[in-house]
Amino acid sequence: MPVPATAVVYICLGDNMPTVLRIGAYRFYFYSHEPNEPPHIHIDRDNLSAKFWLEPVALAKNIGFRAKELRKLESLVSENQTKLVEGEKLGLVSQDATLNNL
């Protein structure tokens, strides 16, 4: 059975960067060893990368995304803020949820 394109996926990679969400080409993840920073999420697409604070949602760092796409990413982070904060704090959340069920 195919996985929906907007599936919430929680996996742990060998380099301690759990993917907490995939939406289209975007990978939302956090580094598991960043204890001295406020809750935040990293987002990659191809060779582009951004970092957003989660409380409140705000851009922290951008490498290559254009303004229009950053606004889209900020909106996606805001829409999924609760799940992202939970994922950042716990490291794992349900693997079978989809964005339509959030």
Side-chain angles (χ1 to χ4, degrees), residues 10 20 30 38-41 52-57 77-78 80-93:
Y10 294 91
V20 295
F30 61 90
H40 63 277
I41 192 76
F52 282 87
W53 303 123
L54 294 175
E55 296 175 326
V57 173
V77 171
S78 294
N80 295 283
Q81 182 181 19
T82 302
K83 288 286 185 185
L84 292 171
V85 169
E86 289 173 7
E88 202 271 347
K89 289 179 181 175
L90 301 175
L92 293 173
V93 184

Coordinates of all heavy atoms in Angstrom, one line a residue, residues 10 20 30 38-41 52-57 77-78 80-93:
Y10 N 8.0 9.4 11.5 CA 9.0 9.5 12.6 C 10.0 8.4 12.5 O 9.7 7.3 12.8 CB 8.3 9.5 14.0 CG 7.4 10.7 14.1 CD1 6.1 10.7 13.7 CD2 7.9 11.9 14.6 CE1 5.2 11.8 13.9 CE2 7.1 13.0 14.7 CZ 5.8 12.9 14.3 OH 4.9 14.0 14.5
V20 N 10.6 14.2 11.5 CA 9.3 14.2 12.2 C 8.2 14.5 11.3 O 7.0 14.2 11.6 CB 9.3 15.2 13.4 CG1 10.3 14.8 14.4 CG2 9.6 16.6 12.9
F30 N 14.8 17.4 13.4 CA 15.5 18.1 14.4 C 16.7 17.2 14.8 O 16.8 16.0 14.6 CB 14.6 18.3 15.7 CG 14.1 17.1 16.3 CD1 14.8 16.5 17.3 CD2 12.9 16.6 16.0 CE1 14.3 15.3 18.0 CE2 12.4 15.5 16.6 CZ 13.1 14.8 17.6
P38 N 16.1 26.9 22.2 CA 14.6 26.8 22.3 C 14.1 25.8 21.3 O 14.8 25.4 20.3 CB 14.1 28.2 21.9 CG 15.3 29.1 21.9 CD 16.5 28.2 21.7
P39 N 12.9 25.3 21.5 CA 12.3 24.3 20.5 C 12.3 24.9 19.1 O 11.9 26.0 18.8 CB 10.9 24.1 21.0 CG 10.9 24.5 22.4 CD 11.9 25.6 22.6
H40 N 12.8 24.1 18.1 CA 12.9 24.5 16.7 C 12.9 23.3 15.8 O 13.0 22.2 16.3 CB 14.2 25.3 16.5 CG 15.4 24.6 16.8 ND1 16.0 24.4 18.0 CD2 16.2 23.9 15.9 CE1 17.1 23.7 17.9 NE2 17.3 23.4 16.7
I41 N 12.7 23.6 14.6 CA 12.6 22.5 13.5 C 13.5 22.9 12.4 O 13.6 24.1 12.0 CB 11.2 22.3 13.1 CG1 11.1 21.0 12.3 CG2 10.6 23.4 12.4 CD1 11.1 19.7 13.1
F52 N 13.3 27.0 11.9 CA 12.3 27.8 12.5 C 12.1 27.6 14.0 O 12.2 26.4 14.4 CB 10.9 27.5 11.9 CG 10.7 28.1 10.5 CD1 11.1 27.5 9.4 CD2 10.1 29.3 10.4 CE1 10.9 28.0 8.1 CE2 9.9 29.9 9.1 CZ 10.3 29.2 8.0
W53 N 12.1 28.6 14.8 CA 11.7 28.5 16.2 C 10.2 28.1 16.2 O 9.5 28.5 15.4 CB 11.9 29.8 16.9 CG 13.3 30.4 16.9 CD1 13.6 31.7 16.4 CD2 14.5 29.8 17.3 NE1 15.0 31.8 16.5 CE2 15.5 30.7 17.0 CE3 14.8 28.6 17.8 CZ2 16.9 30.5 17.3 CZ3 16.2 28.3 18.1 CH2 17.2 29.2 17.8
L54 N 9.9 27.3 17.2 CA 8.5 26.8 17.3 C 7.6 27.6 18.3 O 6.4 27.5 18.2 CB 8.5 25.3 17.7 CG 9.1 24.4 16.7 CD1 9.2 23.0 17.2 CD2 8.3 24.4 15.4
E55 N 8.2 28.2 19.2 CA 7.4 28.9 20.3 C 8.0 30.3 20.5 O 8.9 30.4 21.4 CB 7.4 28.1 21.6 CG 6.7 26.8 21.4 CD 6.8 25.9 22.6 OE1 7.8 25.9 23.4 OE2 5.8 25.2 22.9
P56 N 7.5 31.4 19.9 CA 6.5 31.4 18.8 C 7.2 31.0 17.4 O 8.4 31.0 17.3 CB 6.1 32.8 18.7 CG 7.3 33.6 19.2 CD 7.9 32.7 20.2
V57 N 6.4 30.7 16.5 CA 6.9 30.3 15.1 C 7.6 31.6 14.5 O 7.0 32.6 14.4 CB 5.8 29.8 14.2 CG1 6.3 29.6 12.8 CG2 5.2 28.5 14.8
V77 N 4.7 25.2 9.2 CA 5.2 25.0 10.6 C 4.1 25.5 11.6 O 3.8 24.8 12.5 CB 6.5 25.8 10.9 CG1 6.8 25.8 12.4 CG2 7.6 25.2 10.1
S78 N 3.4 26.6 11.3 CA 2.3 27.1 12.1 C 1.2 26.1 12.2 O 0.6 25.8 13.3 CB 1.8 28.4 11.7 OG 2.8 29.4 11.8
N80 N 1.3 22.9 11.9 CA 1.7 21.7 12.5 C 2.5 21.9 13.8 O 3.1 21.0 14.3 CB 2.5 20.9 11.5 CG 1.7 20.4 10.4 OD1 0.9 19.5 10.4 ND2 1.9 21.1 9.2
Q81 N 2.3 23.1 14.3 CA 3.2 23.5 15.5 C 3.1 22.6 16.7 O 4.1 22.2 17.2 CB 2.8 25.0 15.9 CG 3.6 25.5 17.1 CD 3.2 26.9 17.5 OE1 2.1 27.3 17.2 NE2 4.0 27.5 18.2
T82 N 1.9 22.2 17.0 CA 1.7 21.3 18.2 C 2.4 20.0 18.0 O 3.1 19.5 18.9 CB 0.2 21.1 18.5 OG1 -0.4 22.4 18.7 CG2 0.0 20.2 19.7
K83 N 2.2 19.4 16.9 CA 2.8 18.1 16.6 C 4.3 18.2 16.5 O 5.1 17.4 17.0 CB 2.3 17.5 15.3 CG 0.9 17.0 15.4 CD 0.9 15.7 16.2 CE -0.5 15.1 16.2 NZ -0.6 13.9 17.0
L84 N 4.8 19.3 15.9 CA 6.3 19.5 15.8 C 6.9 19.7 17.2 O 8.0 19.2 17.5 CB 6.6 20.7 14.9 CG 6.2 20.5 13.5 CD1 6.4 21.8 12.7 CD2 7.1 19.4 12.9
V85 N 6.2 20.5 18.1 CA 6.7 20.7 19.4 C 6.8 19.4 20.2 O 7.7 19.0 20.9 CB 5.9 21.8 20.2 CG1 6.3 21.8 21.7 CG2 6.1 23.1 19.6
E86 N 5.7 18.6 20.1 CA 5.7 17.3 20.7 C 6.8 16.4 20.2 O 7.5 15.7 20.9 CB 4.3 16.6 20.5 CG 3.2 17.2 21.2 CD 1.8 16.6 20.8 OE1 1.8 15.6 20.0 OE2 0.8 17.1 21.2
G87 N 7.0 16.4 18.9 CA 8.0 15.6 18.3 C 9.4 16.0 18.7 O 10.3 15.2 19.0
E88 N 9.6 17.3 18.8 CA 10.9 17.9 19.3 C 11.2 17.5 20.7 O 12.3 17.1 21.1 CB 10.9 19.4 19.1 CG 12.2 20.0 19.0 CD 12.8 20.4 20.3 OE1 12.2 20.4 21.4 OE2 14.0 20.7 20.4
K89 N 10.1 17.5 21.6 CA 10.3 17.2 23.0 C 10.4 15.7 23.2 O 11.2 15.2 24.0 CB 9.1 17.7 23.8 CG 9.2 19.2 23.9 CD 8.0 19.7 24.7 CE 8.0 21.2 24.8 NZ 6.8 21.8 25.5
L90 N 9.6 14.9 22.5 CA 9.6 13.4 22.7 C 10.5 12.6 21.8 O 10.9 11.5 22.1 CB 8.2 12.9 22.6 CG 7.1 13.6 23.5 CD1 5.7 13.0 23.2 CD2 7.5 13.3 25.0
G91 N 10.7 13.2 20.6 CA 11.5 12.4 19.6 C 10.7 11.5 18.8 O 11.1 11.2 17.7
L92 N 9.6 11.1 19.3 CA 8.7 10.1 18.5 C 7.2 10.5 18.8 O 6.8 10.8 19.9 CB 8.9 8.7 19.0 CG 10.3 8.1 18.6 CD1 10.4 6.7 19.3 CD2 10.5 8.0 17.1
V93 N 6.4 10.4 17.7 CA 5.0 10.5 17.8 C 4.4 9.5 16.9 O 5.2 8.9 16.1 CB 4.5 11.9 17.5 CG1 3.0 12.1 17.6 CG2 5.2 13.0 18.3

